[in-house]
Structures are given as structure tokens and as C-alpha cells.
């Protein structure tokens, strides 16, 4: 059976696959355009997108606006496919980033906090589709209710991110310890039920996308059978030629064993999933890495109380400096064993999914 296409707002992708946004500078225009060219939806992450701008320390907002505009323009030159932007609500400049994205991105995906006011941040007349990323049916309901009341619209789709994802997670440490209780499959089914009244009320379909630990075509087929419209995949796309991050970062994924994928307490106050290394072990032992806060980039971060600066740690890792940084990764990172092309990954997933849908 052929895979269904994925329609979000006025955009239709040939494959029901969204590439997850990955900061800092892991998913920029190269990865996003390659995914879009292969038939999926490519996504540029706004987290730290302006870190290379010469004025980033003194002119944080403008530096990021400029860099995001440039990434979007570069992606547009490489593809005619669908390009989205991942915007974390925890970022201090998320409203500004949404405004920039609403002028050139097809879709904004917003998580790491509930994007209650996202529709208000777009430029007038923008038809950029809006997709909240949530981790529970309660959050889906709150967003649908608030957007209906406040903004007279419902989301164009919703991403449900389960406990096996990488980066910052939408669960407490306690919930993650018993993650079997919070299976992505259960949450997806509950979210589909929770949005139904809002689909009926608005007359609009709200496609539900499953994310977190999705690896192969069997996973994709499983979520389609459960009623999801598609999946969002990040970790598997790091070890591709087109991924924007340094070869050293990709090698850390290839070298990782299952036991190296760990939960950490991020200085931003959320749990995260990452690949264990000397830097994280030192932090766990209580070492402090003093820093001058150059950006104040995350709303919940209190620099004076943080053992290290997460933005700097992720920037260092992106460039391959793992003495002063670490790699975020999903629970499947240990399954990466070689660098391949995005096209190969998406073709393999599609073939497997189509075979699994026949069963
Ligand atoms: C290296 C890395 C960086 C990430 N950065 C972000 C980010 O900037 N914003 C965000 O919303 N999610 C981020 N995530 C989460 C992913 O976008 C994605 O939703 C999740 O990891 C999906 O699970 P998977 O990695 O198992 O496919 C990141 C994940 C990884 C692995």
C-alpha cells in the first residue's frame, strides 16, 4: 500500500515524514532542503541560529533574525519542497523568530513550552501553517481551546512527542523513569480523541504527527495504523551527509552504545536526553564551568545558578569540541552506524512502511 501524503495547511508533502528541528545548528538549510527534496518536510531550527553572526553578543535579536532569513533563503535556493522552522517557546526571542519565519517558512513547529500566543506573532496575512509540539492530550486540548477562543483558529497539525525523543523533553524526571507508562502510542491515540471536537467545530482536519523514537518504516506504519497522519524524525537524520553539524558530532553518534544514551538535568529546568561524555560526567559530579552569559537566550535559565551555559555547550559540540560540550540525542542514537544520504534514509523508511502497511 502506498504511503499517504501529508497535508498541513495549504502544503502537501509526498511523504508523511517531517524532519525534526535540531539546535544548535544541527538542522539548518542543508538538511532541511535535502529532506524536502526527498519528499518530506525539512525543518530549520531557530535555537542559536545566529551564533556565527559577528554581533551576536551585542545584538542578539537582529543577529538571529538575519541568520534565520538567510537560512530560509538558502533552503529555498536548494529546494522547491516544503520548509518549516522549529521555534522553541522557551527561547527569549521566540516571538521575533515566529515573525521572521511567518514571512518565508511554510510551517512553524513550536514546542518546549505551550505556544498559546503563536498565532499572534505572525505578520499580517501570513499563511504559514502552525503546528504545536506537545506531549499530552491535556496540552493538545488546552491549545485547541485557547486558540479557538483567542485566535479564532485551530492548529494546522499537532506533533505528539513521546518520552524517547532527544533534546529537551516534555516530561518530568519522575515520568521519564517510568516511561513505559507514557507510551507514544497511547498518547497519540488520546490526542486524536482530544482534538476531535475541535475538528468537528472548525470543520478542519487536525493531522496528528508522532515523534520520539521513530526509526524505521515499521514504526511509521504502526503510527499510520493508529490514526496518525505521519511521523517526525530527528536522530536518524543526524548521520546523513547533508546534516549541517560537524563530522565529529556525527561520529559521536556512530560511536555511542545503548548505555551511553542518558537523561540529564538541563540548566533550563527541563530533562533532556544526550550522549554521555566526560563533560556531562563532570557536571553530574558537581563541577561548575563558570561562564559569562553572552546571550540570555532561554527564558527559564538563571545563569547564576547554572553549572554551565547550555547554549555554549551545544555550540561547542556542534563544532566537535566535546571537552566543553555534549550532543543531544534521541534514545535510538546508538543505532546509527554509518553516514548515508537523506534520500537513502527516506527511501528505506518508505519501502519498509509500505510493506508493513500491506500486512
Ligand atoms: C541533536 C538534537 C537537537 C534537538 N534540538 C531541538 C530543538 O532545537 N528544538 C526542538 O523543539 N526539538 C529539538 N530536538 C528534538 C527533536 O526535534 C525531535 O522532536 C525528537 O528528537 C524526535 O525524536 P527522535 O530524535 O527519536 O527522532 C532535538 C533533538 C536532537 C537529537
Amino acid at each position: 500500500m502506498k504511503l499517504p501524503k501529508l497535508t498541513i495547511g495549504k502544503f502537501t508533502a509526498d511523504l508523511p515524514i517531517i524532519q525534526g528541528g535540531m539546535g544548535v545548528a544541527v538542522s539548518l538549510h542543508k538538511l532541511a532542503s535535502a529532506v524536502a527534496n526527498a519528499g518530506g518536510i525539512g525543518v530549520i531550527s531557530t535555537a542559536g541560529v545566529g551564533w556565527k553572526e559577528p554581533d551576536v553578543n551585542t545584538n542578539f535579536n537582529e543577529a538571529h533574525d538575519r541568520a534565520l532569513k538567510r537560512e530560509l533563503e538558502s533552503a529555498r535556493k536548494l529546494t522547491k519542497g516544503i520548509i518549516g522552522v522549529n521555534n522553541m517557546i522557551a527561547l527569549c526571542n521566540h516571538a521575533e523568530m515566529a515573525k521572521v519565519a511567518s514571512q518565508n517558512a511554510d510551517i512553524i513547529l513550536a514546542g518546549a513550552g505551550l505556544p498559546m500566543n503563536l498565532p499572534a506573532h505572525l505578520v499580517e496575512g501570513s499563511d504559514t501553517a502552525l503546528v504545536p509540539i506537545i506531549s499530552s492530550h491535556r496540552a493538545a486540548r488546552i491549545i485547541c481551546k485557547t486558540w479557538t477562543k483567542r485566535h479564532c483558529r485551530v492548529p494546522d497539525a499537532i506533533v505528539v512527542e513521546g518520552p524517547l525523543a532527544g533534546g529537551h523533553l516534555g516530561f518530568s524526571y519522575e515520568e521519564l523513569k517510568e516511561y513505559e507508562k507514557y507510551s507514544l502510542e497511547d498518547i497519540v491515540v488520546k490526542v486524536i480523541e482530544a482534538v476531535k471536537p475541535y475538528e468537528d467545530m472548525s470543520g478542519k482536519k487536525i493531522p496528528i504527527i508522532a515523534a520520539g523514537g521513530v526509526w524505521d518504516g515499521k514504526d511509521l506504519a504502526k503510527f499510520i495504523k493508529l490514526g496518525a497522519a505521519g511521523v517526525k524524525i530527528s536522530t536518524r537524520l543526524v548521520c546523513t551527509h547533508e546534516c549541517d553539524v560537524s563530522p565529529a558530532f556525527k561520529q559521536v553518534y556512530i560511536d555511542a552504545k545503548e548505555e551511553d544514551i542518558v537523561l540529564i538535568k538541563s540548566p533550563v529546568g527541563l530533562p533532556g536526553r544526550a550522549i554521555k561524555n566526560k563533560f556531562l560526567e563532570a557536571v553530574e559530579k558537581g563541577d561548575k564551568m563558570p561562564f559569562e552569559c553572552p546571550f540570555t537566550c532561554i527564558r527559564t535559565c538563571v545563569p547564576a545558578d547554572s553549572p554551565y551555559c547550555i547554549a555554549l555547550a551545544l555550540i561547542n559540540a556542534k563544532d566537535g569540541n566535546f571537552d566543553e560540550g555534549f550532543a543531544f540525542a534521541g534514545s535510538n542514537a546508538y543505532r546509527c552506524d554509518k553516514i548515508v544520504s537523506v534520500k537513502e534514509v527516506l527511501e528505506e523508511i518508505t519501502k519498509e512502511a509500505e510493506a508493513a502497511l500491506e500486512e
Side-chain angles (χ1 to χ4, degrees), residues 20-23 45 47 86 88 161 164-167 212-214 232-235 253 328-330:
M22 290 178 277
S45 168
N86 172 279
M88 294 200 297
E161 197 155 284
L164 298 178
V214 176
K232 181 162 81 92
I233 299 179
S234 298
T235 295
Y253 270 50
F328 270 143

Side-chain angles (χ1 to χ4, degrees), residues 96-112:
E96 192 66 25
M97 292 280 89
K99 192 173 161 194
V100 173
S102 71
Q103 294 166 69
N104 200 0
D106 300 320
I107 302 177
I108 298 175
L109 300 106

Side-chain angles (χ1 to χ4, degrees), residues 4 56 156 160 174 236-237 284:
V56 66
D156 294 293
V160 183
E174 287 65 36
R236 183 145 184 206
L237 291 164
E284 190 156 359

Side-chain angles (χ1 to χ4, degrees), residues 166-322:
H168 289 117
L169 302 166
F171 298 85
S172 68
Y173 298 101
E174 287 65 36
E175 286 169 336
L176 288 167
K177 273 186 213 143
E178 325 177 87
Y179 67 86
E180 311 81 23
K181 277 199 199 161
Y182 300 89
S183 86
L184 178 58
E185 290 81 346
D186 285 352
I187 310 172
V188 163
V189 169
K190 283 186 185 156
V191 171
I192 292 172
E193 277 165 24
V195 304
K196 183 88 182 53
Y198 296 92
E199 292 185 312
D200 294 344
M201 215 188 313
S202 65
K204 272 184 71 182
K205 182 93 192 115
I206 306 177
I208 302 303
I209 317 291
V214 176
W215 183 261
D216 56 23
K218 284 189 186 145
D219 295 333
L220 169 53
K222 175 179 64 186
F223 286 109
I224 300 269
K225 283 180 185 168
L226 282 175
V231 293
K232 181 162 81 92
I233 299 179
S234 298
T235 295
R236 183 145 184 206
L237 291 164
V238 169
C239 290
T240 55
H241 300 298
E242 297 92 337
C243 179
D244 295 82
V245 80
S246 66
F249 189 104
K250 297 175 191 178
Q251 193 59 43
V252 165
Y253 270 50
I254 290 173
D255 294 341
K257 301 190 188 62
E258 190 169 2
E259 58 272 25
D260 298 330
I261 320 292
V262 292
L263 290 173
I264 61 162
K265 288 192 179 181
S266 156
V268 306
L270 291 169
R273 184 170 278 109
I275 299 179
K276 187 167 75 176
N277 68 357
K278 287 211 171 95
F279 179 88
L280 287 176
E281 279 167 0
V283 170
E284 190 156 359
K285 270 199 254 137
D287 286 8
K288 302 234 183 295
M289 289 69 168
F291 62 94
E292 295 223 351
C293 176
F295 313 121
T296 336
C297 57
I298 296 178
R299 288 193 293 166
T300 46
C301 180
V302 183
D305 298 343
S306 295
Y308 63 94
C309 168
I310 187 147
L312 288 179
L314 296 178
I315 288 169
N316 289 334
K318 176 243 178 294
D319 288 332
N321 173 2
F322 285 92

